């Protein structure tokens, strides 16, 4: 629940990386296909993620046999500082949603602040599931990618 009895998601997380904001921003955009977990791709094992770092760009997944999904559209961008994507982001039941990726310098390199908010008939237990999923995506797959470890 996002509050006042409205079904949806409200996830907020901070993640620290030993990498520059520019490197994390590049990974979140043009490098996305290299590290986004295959198990979370909606078109299956052969799906490829694509996101250009520009206003209005679509976060797409193209799969085998012409299948595809638009996960969202970039509606705010400040290179190496933030990218906001409006869309369903693969969460079944979402009517409207937005994912914020904000980057700021930290003593170790860069802090990534994630906010994922959505409204729609999303079962309440999905908040816990997606909160954990974001941790696995960002603290797991993205971190391995940024450190050069096999994803």
């Amino acid at each position: 629940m996002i509050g006042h009895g409205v079904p949806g998601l409200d996830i907020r997380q901070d993640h620290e990386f030993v990498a520059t904001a520019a490197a994390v921003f590049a990974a979140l955009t043009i490098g996305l296909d290299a590290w986004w977990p295959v198990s979370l791709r909606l078109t299956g094992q052969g799906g490829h993620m694509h996101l250009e770092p520009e206003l209005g760009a679509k976060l797409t997944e193209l799969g085998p046999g012409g299948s595809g999904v638009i996960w969202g559209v970039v509606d705010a961008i400040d290179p190496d500082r933030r990218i906001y994507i409006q869309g369903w982001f693969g969460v079944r039941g979402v009517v409207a949603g937005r994912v914020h990726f904000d980057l700021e310098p930290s003593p170790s390199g860069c802090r990534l602040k994630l906010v994922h908010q959505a409204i729609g008939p999303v079962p309440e237990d999905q908040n816990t599931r997606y909160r954990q999923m974001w941790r696995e995506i960002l603290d797991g797959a993205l971190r391995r990618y940024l450190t050069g470890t096999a994803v």
Side-chain angles (χ1 to χ4, degrees), residues 26-38 41 46-51 59-62 145 151:
L28 291 169
T29 56
I30 58 175
L32 186 65
D33 188 57
W35 63 270
W36 190 265
V38 172
R41 298 182 190 212
H48 292 281
M49 306 293 287
H50 182 79
L51 178 60
L59 170 53
T60 60
E61 179 184 340
L62 300 175
Y145 174 78
V151 177

Side-chain angles (χ1 to χ4, degrees), residues 16-34:
E16 293 279 335
F17 296 98
V18 181
T20 65
V24 176
F25 186 85
L28 291 169
T29 56
I30 58 175
L32 186 65
D33 188 57

Side-chain angles (χ1 to χ4, degrees), residues 77-130:
I77 190 168
D78 187 356
D80 303 339
R81 294 191 59 213
R82 76 180 45 92
I83 188 163
Y84 295 175
I85 303 167
Q86 193 171 95
W88 75 301
F89 233 81
V91 181
R92 286 174 178 76
V94 165
V95 175
R98 195 170 195 215
V99 173
H100 297 193
F101 295 110
D102 286 297
L103 302 167
E104 59 187 42
S106 73
S108 63
C110 171
R111 176 177 295 116
L112 168 63
K113 293 184 174 195
L114 164 81
V115 175
H116 184 179
Q117 295 178 313
I119 58 172
V122 177
E124 199 166 329
D125 66 330
Q126 293 302 296
N127 266 289
T128 302
R129 178 175 177 259
Y130 280 95

